[in-house]
Amino acid sequence: MFQSEFKKILPYSPYRSMPAEIIMVKQYTNLEKLFRLRLKKNNKDFNYMPGQFAEISMFGRGEAPISICSSPTDKGYFEITVRNVGTLTSALHNLKKGDVVGVRGPFGKGFPVENFFGNDILIVAGGLGIVPLRGLIRYIMYHRKDFGAVNILLGCRSPKDMLFNNEIGQWGRHLDILFRCTVDRADPDWQGNIGLITELIPGVNLNPMRTYAVVVGPPLMYKFVIKELLKKEIPDRQIIVSLERRMKCGLGKCGHCQINGVYVCQNGPVFKYSDIRNMEEAF
Amino acid sequence: MKKSKAKVAFFDFTDCEGCQLQIVNLNTVLLDILEHIEIVNFREAMSEPRDDYDIAVIEGSISTEHDIKRITGIRKQAKVVIALGACATIGGVNAIKNRTPLNISLMRVYKDKADKFKTIAVKPIDQVIKVDYYIHGCPVHPNEVAEVFKCLLLGKKYDVPNYPVCVECKMNENVCLYQKEQNCMGPVTRAGCNSWCVNNGNICYGCRGLIDNPANDAQNDILANYGLDVNEIIDKFTLYTAVEKKYVKEIKE
Amino acid sequence: MERYAKISKKDFNRWLESLEDHGKLYGPKKKDGRHVFRPIKDVKELDLNYISTILPPKKYYFPQKERLLKFKIKPFKTAKAIRKFEEFVLFGVHTCDIAGIQCMDVVFRQEPLDANYINRKDRMTTVGIECLTPCDKYANCVSMGNHVPKGGYDIMLTDVGNKYIIHINSAKAESILRQRSYIKKCISADRYLLDAVRKKKEKIFKEEFIGRLTELYAVFSKLYDSEIWKDVGKRCVGCGNCTAVCPTCYCFDVLDEVSLNLNDGLRYRLWNSCQMDDFAKVAGGEDFRPGRSARQRHRYYRKFKYPIDKFSRYFCTGCGRCSRTCMAEINLTETVNSLIREHRNVSIGI
């Protein structure tokens, strides 16, 4: 009778998912599919930056944090690429055009593109690391003249594991981008490099003081790639990484994504190497 | 259009059939499940079994060569296999037999007729066939049975918790048995039962098997601190999980 | 109204009974030799003479398993899972647990606001009870500075013999005291009694840690790689009791449950713990905090280091629950004191 005078019920729940329709599905490899999504409610825009992630839901199956792989310059939709590894992702793989999924987000901090403008960019992508970086690459391509030299190094297991192969062909043909690719295991048609991605770094001609290196890949890769980048004298504040964790809430509460004192879902997933180099739990 | 219902058959191997009884104990929930499935073979609850099943629910452990043949045949026909209860999922109480050489076990049970019987070391069924769903427990908990059937019908995996019973026990705010000077296998036993036994004044016997990465050394120290000798500790660890011989060995060392 | 009032013990149950107008009453009650917070149906069940309850009162504003969302799979639909949040009175809370409430507030009132938490908390009236004697060998409330009331409640009760002194700390408090003739104004003699109680407490409550909190921060900054964590990890059985009973642990998991029509369901959050094997694992199976010693260290750092950097607040309340509940007898006070000792030895070069 009296307390209700004090506080109204907060109607807003940060756990509520927005419906998004799948408008295109593209299978890249045996394990990976790209989904193009559009929010259903009044064509509301999904305002994000490359490097951010969304919590994707299928009710009854659960929810998982998934990197956005498109760029905000792609208007009217956003894209995610999903590897079939668990309960939710295998169910996602069964979805078709016209199906609806739940979306929360975007969450986290994306790539600091505001720092990148006017500078050279070296992108190092290993395995699934290309997924968030593809959004960044598309963003850079769109604003190409605002950046200096752009180098892209891509490593994957074998040619048939390569994601976005249709676009990668184009990157290679762009005159204003240096694109190099390496695989662990080649097939007979492969004409690129064979070997570790770290082996490509010494051959890149760069000006360390004006280069931002952006590295995304499996946990093991960071240590070796960063070592090579530091050898090239790129300052550690100009080395940008994105870390994978299992963010359950995206709100800095549930604790799963914590690295020492920071929450990846809020302080990351994109970090300056200088900010996390001393955190033991980072890599 | 009405979807045709999945056909389910129940089979038992070496067990007490108590877990099948738990299925009957589902009461009205069973009726809800029967909206989606049709039971074609269930010895404990029906009289005219058929053999046109898609889903096999298997109770009991494997303890004879004949069991192996029979269960392999079931797996061939079934699209989905559910292991029902501790005997099927982890070997269960039957596996205590594995702690002694087989011929001695036979002698103990059959005395002078021992040579007339054949036996093999007790195995949980996944040591013989592929299992799609596990329902742990001795007996199984009705809620978990319902949950597994839901997952099956939705076509998704059922994730058995990989944390210890203590987690659920604390959420239920039970007084810890160790504080009552009793001991309990809760700290290393896989949860999912909602600390059923402790809620009802019992200890945890470990019927759901050990979690993936149990702190056996720490548990051993705790039990020893509470006054148990090595053999009592081994008994604790092997009442249900004697199949996993390595634990016995680790503790002895 | 004055900031202090008083109630005679003979009128106490009368007051308790009158609280039912203000929502459901929860308070400490006996269970199997321990105490637990439970709904109080008969005021005689309430037992204010208790050592910390098994679970802290966090279960009332951050329940073990809580509905977040209602959904339909097809067609896609979501709705509020909880329509009504009820008023309730949390009665007889120790000052350590009130410190815990303050810590949780700091976390859940941060943007983005956690609607469930805030909706519950906004409907909670907190009535504290001051401890007059140290509870047992496990608590470390004096070192954490939480053995005396420091706000965070609506009402604080202090037993001064045949009556309780009531500290009124909110407008809500006034409304559960007003129009009750047996609740009287304090006179100066009552204030004197209160001061005397506090003076006496100063003598019998001793600091449990061998160092002050300022030193502690330096200790935790330096001893991340200490061997002490290895020892703690070796003894830890990984049961997660320490985090479940902690008034400032709030990690959780999110899961869906579907009803038997296979279309309607609920999304829940469920208490989870950094001590669990799968807690820091990612989809590919990589575990970013493997091993029990790293996990135990993480727990301590979430009490004694990270929240100080983030919120300028220690997240250990000193309630002693983690040590009391640990069957491996990992004792927080002992761990902290060994860390302090090691730090001192390192500093002087031993």
Side-chain angles (χ1 to χ4, degrees):
Chain A
M1 52 167 200
F2 66 94
Q3 279 96 340
S4 49
E5 304 156 20
F6 291 106
K7 308 277 182 186
K8 286 212 175 74
I9 286 192
L10 275 185
Y12 163 74
S13 169
Y15 294 97
R16 195 159 182 178
S17 302
M18 304 173 277
E21 188 181 337
I22 297 174
I23 54 176
M24 188 194 78
V25 183
K26 184 170 167 57
Q27 177 131 24
Y28 274 111
T29 70
N30 281 339
L31 279 179
E32 284 108 4
K33 275 185 182 177
L34 174 141
F35 297 87
R36 181 173 290 179
L37 305 171
R38 184 160 55 211
L39 290 185
K40 283 194 86 167
K41 289 238 165 80
N42 351 312
N43 280 327
K44 217 170 98 187
D45 257 345
F46 193 65
N47 293 314
Y48 64 94
M49 284 305 282
Q52 285 193 289
F53 69 94
E55 292 280 353
I56 305 292
S57 270
M58 273 179 75
F59 291 138
R61 316 271 166 165
E63 190 176 51
I66 294 177
S67 315
I68 301 165
C69 68
S70 52
S71 155
T73 53
D74 302 323
K75 293 289 179 203
Y77 63 84
F78 65 100
E79 293 171 333
I80 55 172
T81 298
V82 180
R83 176 177 280 186
N84 183 348
V85 282
T87 310
L88 175 73
T89 49
S90 68
L92 277 171
H93 268 239
N94 290 330
L95 294 183
K96 308 219 160 32
K97 190 180 160 185
D99 287 336
V100 177
V101 295
V103 175
R104 288 193 301 135
F107 293 114
K109 289 200 171 63
F111 298 109
V113 284
E114 64 283 1
N115 296 342
F116 294 176
F117 283 117
N119 287 307
D120 298 343
I121 310 295
L122 167 63
I123 286 174
V124 186
L128 272 189
I130 190 62
V131 171
L133 286 171
R134 179 222 185 211
L136 178 65
I137 293 169
R138 292 181 69 82
Y139 186 88
I140 290 173
M141 302 282 227
Y142 187 86
H143 296 285
R144 181 65 192 87
K145 68 175 167 39
D146 300 327
F147 298 92
V150 176
N151 275 284
I152 301 173
L153 308 179
L154 173 66
C156 57
R157 235 174 271 157
S158 73
K160 70 171 186 343
D161 292 316
M162 198 175 290
L163 289 165
F164 315 119
N165 39 22
N166 52 334
E167 289 169 49
I168 284 171
Q170 286 173 25
W171 300 343
R173 282 192 293 279
H174 272 274
L175 293 176
D176 50 1
I177 286 176
L178 265 162
F179 175 77
R180 248 162 276 170
C181 183
T182 182
V183 295
D184 296 346
R185 275 175 288 107
D187 59 21
D189 296 330
W190 179 248
Q191 296 182 338
N193 300 285
I194 301 171
L196 296 173
I197 195 159
T198 40
E199 292 161 14
L200 297 181
I201 297 171
V204 179
N205 188 15
L206 53 80
N207 174 350
M209 285 321 286
R210 52 167 293 175
T211 297
Y212 271 90
V214 193
V215 188
V216 189
L220 214 90
M221 189 190 94
Y222 287 103
K223 214 172 111 192
F224 297 104
V225 167
I226 288 169
K227 207 169 143 197
E228 288 299 321
L229 295 174
L230 293 172
K231 266 194 222 159
K232 284 270 189 188
E233 294 184 330
I234 299 178
D236 56 10
R237 63 176 181 279
Q238 283 167 222
I239 298 174
I240 311 295
V241 299
S242 174
L243 302 180
E244 183 196 6
R245 289 297 187 277
R246 188 155 139 251
M247 303 83 156
K248 290 261 168 157
C249 71
L251 309 167
K253 307 275 195 288
C254 78
H256 287 272
C257 71
Q258 194 173 2
I259 297 176
N260 295 104
V262 304
Y263 280 95
V264 173
C265 70
Q266 303 229 295
N267 307 88
V270 175
F271 291 96
K272 285 181 184 161
Y273 179 57
S274 52
D275 289 342
I276 53 166
R277 57 176 302 170
N278 294 323
M279 292 186 182
E280 188 181 279
E281 294 172 349
F283 296 107
Chain B
M1 193 182 79
K2 208 162 184 282
K3 254 175 50 183
S4 67
K5 292 178 178 178
K7 298 188 183 69
V8 179
F10 289 81
F11 299 98
D12 42 70
F13 286 79
T14 309
D15 57 50
C16 71
E17 300 190 18
C19 289
Q20 288 187 71
L21 200 59
Q22 284 293 86
I23 303 274
V24 182
N25 287 341
L26 282 165
N27 295 324
T28 56
V29 174
L30 182 58
L31 297 178
D32 288 333
I33 295 173
L34 286 174
E35 292 284 311
H36 306 281
I37 63 164
E38 182 191 352
I39 296 178
V40 297
N41 185 351
F42 192 175
R43 204 166 54 88
E44 263 190 38
M46 65 189 285
S47 47
E48 287 168 38
R50 295 186 347 236
D51 261 336
D52 54 341
Y53 54 89
D54 317 300
I55 294 159
V57 182
I58 299 178
E59 190 197 51
S61 56
I62 304 301
S63 65
T64 65
E65 293 292 348
H66 174 255
D67 286 349
I68 295 179
K69 256 186 231 143
R70 185 173 157 232
I71 202 167
T72 315
I74 293 170
R75 178 72 254 195
K76 268 190 194 136
Q77 178 172 339
K79 294 190 190 88
V80 177
V81 167
I82 301 175
L84 181 74
C87 299
T89 60
I90 57 171
V93 170
N94 300 322
I96 293 174
K97 180 177 86 172
N98 297 5
R99 287 178 55 183
T100 36
L102 288 179
N103 55 346
I104 294 175
S105 302
L106 277 175
M107 291 287 281
R108 267 194 207 153
V109 179
Y110 298 109
K111 308 273 172 342
D112 53 330
K113 295 190 178 70
D115 58 332
K116 300 213 161 37
F117 295 90
K118 278 185 191 143
T119 190
I120 58 172
V122 167
K123 302 178 205 303
I125 65 170
D126 65 0
Q127 286 188 11
V128 181
I129 59 163
K130 180 177 167 279
V131 171
D132 303 290
Y133 292 91
Y134 292 85
I135 312 179
H136 289 284
C138 179
V140 294
H141 196 289
N143 290 355
E144 199 177 18
V145 173
E147 199 50 43
V148 169
F149 269 99
K150 275 188 237 167
C151 288
L152 169 80
L153 293 164
L154 286 165
K156 71 169 187 179
K157 215 169 95 213
Y158 172 69
D159 292 314
V160 186
N162 184 27
Y163 48 76
V165 173
C166 292
V167 171
E168 294 173 337
C169 194
K170 269 290 148 296
M171 289 204 261
N172 289 321
E173 215 171 357
N174 292 320
V175 176
C176 182
L177 290 162
Y178 286 95
Q179 291 185 342
K180 296 203 260 182
E181 306 287 310
Q182 296 177 44
N183 57 68
C184 170
M185 287 299 280
V188 287
T189 301
R190 193 180 290 283
C193 55
N194 194 27
S195 63
W196 196 7
C197 293
V198 190
N199 299 352
N200 290 290
N202 218 322
I203 65 164
C204 172
Y205 296 100
C207 74
R208 298 174 58 84
L210 300 175
I211 48 173
D212 284 353
N213 178 24
N216 289 328
D217 292 346
Q219 174 69 359
N220 189 21
D221 291 348
I222 292 167
L223 292 173
N225 269 348
Y226 279 81
L228 271 67
D229 68 30
V230 177
N231 285 321
E232 285 170 321
I233 292 173
I234 292 173
D235 287 346
K236 287 269 162 199
F237 267 92
T238 54
L239 178 57
Y240 282 94
T241 49
V243 163
E244 305 190 53
K245 281 196 196 103
K246 62 175 184 191
Y247 299 116
V248 184
K249 226 178 105 204
E250 266 174 23
I251 290 160
K252 270 191 178 152
E253 286 161 358
Chain C
M1 207 177 213
E2 299 278 328
R3 284 187 61 227
Y4 287 90
K6 63 182 171 184
I7 181 169
S8 155
K9 281 190 178 168
K10 67 175 169 41
D11 296 320
F12 195 67
N13 282 355
R14 224 171 124 193
W15 179 48
L16 277 174
E17 275 157 13
S18 79
L19 292 179
E20 64 178 18
D21 291 350
H22 301 274
K24 220 167 173 179
L25 182 66
Y26 298 100
K29 213 170 127 172
K30 276 203 184 79
K31 177 183 180 179
D32 257 358
R34 293 284 315 268
H35 282 81
V36 289
F37 276 98
R38 284 281 187 275
I40 301 295
K41 293 201 185 78
D42 177 350
V43 297
K44 286 186 209 84
E45 303 167 337
L46 186 81
D47 184 2
L48 290 179
N49 182 20
Y50 72 104
I51 288 172
S52 288
T53 49
I54 299 176
L55 288 181
K58 73 174 174 185
K59 63 180 181 178
Y60 291 119
Y61 43 88
F62 181 68
Q64 293 91 320
K65 184 175 179 181
E66 178 178 29
R67 285 172 287 165
L68 294 176
L69 200 69
K70 229 177 172 169
F71 60 75
K72 266 193 201 319
I73 297 176
K74 257 183 185 166
F76 182 101
K77 218 174 153 189
T78 65
K80 260 187 266 180
I82 310 168
R83 301 222 155 263
K84 231 178 126 212
F85 291 88
E86 285 184 342
E87 293 286 341
F88 66 101
V89 180
L90 193 58
F91 201 98
V93 190
H94 284 163
T95 46
C96 53
D97 282 340
I98 288 167
I101 297 172
Q102 289 175 312
C103 291
M104 295 282 268
D105 264 2
V106 170
V107 173
F108 285 94
R109 290 196 187 277
Q110 263 205 324
E111 291 286 348
L113 292 180
D114 192 282
N116 277 27
Y117 175 88
I118 289 169
N119 285 332
R120 285 180 208 283
K121 250 324 284 300
D122 282 349
R123 274 147 203 85
M124 174 168 114
T125 309
T126 316
V127 181
I129 176 91
E130 186 172 356
C131 298
L132 301 182
T133 48
C135 57
D136 60 14
K137 59 178 178 173
Y138 298 108
N140 56 296
C141 55
V142 189
S143 280
M144 301 318 297
N146 289 330
H147 62 306
V148 283
K150 282 180 172 174
Y153 46 83
D154 296 286
I155 284 175
M156 178 57 65
L157 303 171
T158 307
D159 185 337
V160 291
N162 55 359
K163 62 191 157 203
Y164 289 101
I165 304 291
I166 301 171
H167 179 213
I168 305 159
N169 199 38
S170 72
K172 220 174 188 179
E174 284 182 39
S175 70
I176 68 171
L177 295 167
R178 72 161 73 102
Q179 291 169 357
R180 287 161 173 93
S181 56
Y182 46 87
I183 291 175
K184 304 215 167 64
K185 279 187 180 173
C186 274
I187 53 169
S188 51
D190 298 320
R191 289 302 301 271
Y192 176 79
L193 282 173
L194 185 62
D195 290 345
V197 161
R198 297 269 162 83
K199 281 235 171 66
K200 197 175 154 206
K201 270 180 80 170
E202 265 174 46
K203 281 196 197 107
I204 53 173
F205 279 79
K206 299 268 187 290
E207 289 209 27
E208 300 87 355
F209 295 164
I210 54 170
R212 313 303 293 267
L213 291 185
T214 39
E215 184 180 357
L216 216 53
Y217 184 79
V219 169
F220 275 86
S221 302
K222 299 255 172 63
L223 293 187
Y224 190 80
D225 294 316
S226 167
E227 291 291 311
I228 290 169
W229 301 122
K230 286 212 184 100
D231 170 58
V232 171
K234 225 174 110 187
R235 285 148 63 206
C236 174
V237 71
C239 68
N241 278 358
C242 49
T243 54
V245 302
C246 177
T248 71
C249 272
Y250 53 86
C251 288
F252 58 86
D253 216 342
V254 178
L255 62 115
D256 287 1
E257 277 181 18
V258 180
S259 70
L260 268 165
N261 71 11
L262 304 180
N263 200 40
D264 298 334
L266 287 162
R267 179 161 288 172
Y268 291 94
R269 72 171 159 212
L270 184 71
W271 286 4
N272 202 309
S273 163
C274 57
Q275 304 303 307
M276 299 299 111
D277 248 7
D278 295 340
F279 187 77
K281 268 190 195 147
V282 295
E286 192 108 16
D287 185 356
F288 286 95
R289 199 176 299 111
R292 293 185 182 89
S293 71
R295 291 179 197 145
Q296 276 294 334
R297 175 177 62 194
H298 184 68
R299 176 171 79 88
Y300 278 88
Y301 272 70
R302 273 186 67 121
K303 307 300 156 198
F304 292 102
K305 174 73 171 61
Y306 307 146
I308 294 88
D309 294 335
K310 204 169 171 183
F311 307 116
S312 306
R313 181 185 280 274
Y314 279 91
F315 264 44
C316 176
T317 68
C319 68
R321 282 191 182 86
C322 55
S323 310
R324 208 173 281 124
T325 195
C326 182
M327 43 249 188
E329 288 166 22
I330 295 170
N331 184 297
L332 181 131
T333 302
E334 278 171 22
T335 310
V336 169
N337 283 340
S338 353
L339 286 166
I340 296 173
R341 258 180 243 118
E342 180 175 321
H343 182 247
R344 286 176 185 170
N345 289 344
V346 171
S347 314
I348 57 168
I350 293 177

